[in-house]
Amino acid sequence: MAITAAQVKELRDMTGAGMMACKKALAATDGDMDKAVDFLREQGLAGAEKKAGRIAAEGVSFTKLSDDKHSGVVVEVNAETDFVAKNEKFQTYVTEVAAQALHSEAADIDAFLAEKWDLDNSRTVAEQLSEEISIIGENMHIRRFQKLTENDGFVQDYVHGGGRIGVLLQVKSTVVNDAVTEMAKNIAMQVAALKPKFTSRKEVDQAYLASETEILTAAAKNEKPNAPEKVIAGMVQGRINKELKEICLLDQTYVKAEDGKQSVQQYVDSVAKAENATIEIVTFIRFETGEGLEKKNEDFAAEVAAQQAAAKKA
């Protein structure tokens, strides 16, 4: 029996379950609406989408490495409250999502959600998410994931603050030992702490540099209107260099440097020399949980007042 879009919409409106879950339920019950509702309830999927309007900006960013450390993934899964984000069941679920994402070939979140769930091939990742929402009782969202692979070296991970920040670092190295991996972890910690935008200067967009040069040149001329062009150019280059030292990882001052002057690149070079290795920091990924998302405004006094007003009207 062909299942129509109208039937799927009707079942979704009745139960709050996801579109694909509703379609599957109708197909399994030959279009019988009542049986489809029971099917969804048995699967723990009814009601999950009713929570979808709630803001889910808390959560965790976790990482997962392959056994050989040649590949790694970082995922962000959101929930509504910090309380749930710290819940053991929620965190276990996130580690399962990370394990799935590590070997997933999905190009985006939509494709990832449509995959079969590794731990139960009878449902998709999206359907498993719906079940977790029903069990935990809060809206949840698999927001993003990203992977790195390095066959001529390794991938290093670092999770800060119990999942507030997740970092992956891609390292190309002719030697992989304790000293090199310790270096990589230290740099991953630097990424978490200082939030660089680029790995090196060669990644910086030329249009961005041109725009900054124009702005800083105008500012310098306003400061010193009678200065020679050579002086203005020197001022501008100095300010650009200072900015690049803040936003480019390898140009940043290494936070653990004893003299406070050693750059990250100089730190890498010193380890490479000591270990007789050739080492390159290729790139990094940094997820900060909830970045760019609207946060729920927790005004409990207003919430209580609203509930009291509603009770009086009732």
Side-chain angles (χ1 to χ4, degrees), residues 96-145:
E96 293 170 352
V97 172
Q100 171 114 10
L102 181 62
H103 63 77
S104 172
E105 296 183 358
D108 53 38
I109 284 293
D110 289 339
F112 180 67
L113 291 172
E115 287 183 351
K116 291 295 183 182
W117 181 242
D118 282 349
L119 300 178
D120 183 353
N121 285 328
S122 68
R123 61 183 61 183
T124 63
V125 173
E127 289 167 345
Q128 181 64 31
L129 174 61
S130 292
E131 180 175 355
E132 297 291 337
I133 292 171
S134 297
I135 294 171
I136 291 175
E138 279 194 8
N139 187 27
M140 291 161 53
H141 179 53
I142 301 175
R143 183 186 181 196
R144 53 183 174 163
F145 71 95

Side-chain angles (χ1 to χ4, degrees), residues 52-63:
R54 302 177 188 171
I55 297 172
E58 300 296 335
V60 292
S61 295
F62 275 176
T63 59

